[in-house]
Amino acid sequence: MTENGEKRTVQVTESSLPSVGDAREGLRVTVRGPVDGTEATLTLDVAAVRVGDNAITVTAGGTDGDEDDSVRSAVQLGTQRLQDVLAGKSPAASPSQFD
């Protein structure tokens, strides 16, 4: 309930992630309700991946609700980048799918 008495519906669901790192968890948070009198939906994808004692987190969201591919790609690339750094390698200054 907002300060104006407007109701919001919040839903949290598990999302699948690529099988990378030692452990991983993905969540999708969806918030629905009126914003300035207009119905709106905000979707936020959150992912965490553990590699040994280290971890990365990735968040992406917006009103489109279609960030799944971006999050999956960022998880895959980010995990590889973390593994490279932990192995003593210097990752490229600008990560890409071609590193």
Side-chain angles (χ1 to χ4, degrees):
M1 184 85 66
T2 68
E3 61 187 33
N4 298 334
E6 298 173 322
K7 285 187 175 183
R8 300 279 193 272
T9 302
V10 179
Q11 181 180 21
V12 180
T13 56
E14 185 175 5
S15 58
S16 65
L17 297 174
S19 294
V20 294
D22 298 322
R24 71 219 55 81
E25 192 66 46
L27 296 174
R28 173 168 280 186
V29 180
T30 306
V31 182
R32 291 183 181 88
V35 176
D36 296 330
T38 303
E39 282 296 314
T41 301
L42 172 66
T43 304
L44 178 65
D45 290 310
V46 181
V49 178
R50 182 177 59 79
V51 176
D53 292 334
N54 300 279
I56 63 165
T57 58
V58 175
T59 59
T63 55
D64 291 337
D66 191 21
E67 300 297 330
D68 189 55
D69 289 343
S70 297
V71 170
R72 292 177 65 80
S73 178
V75 162
Q76 205 151 16
L77 293 171
T79 301
Q80 184 60 56
R81 190 171 174 90
L82 176 58
Q83 289 170 329
D84 289 348
V85 168
L86 293 173
K89 298 177 184 175
S90 295
S94 297
S96 74
Q97 60 183 320
F98 304 108
D99 283 347

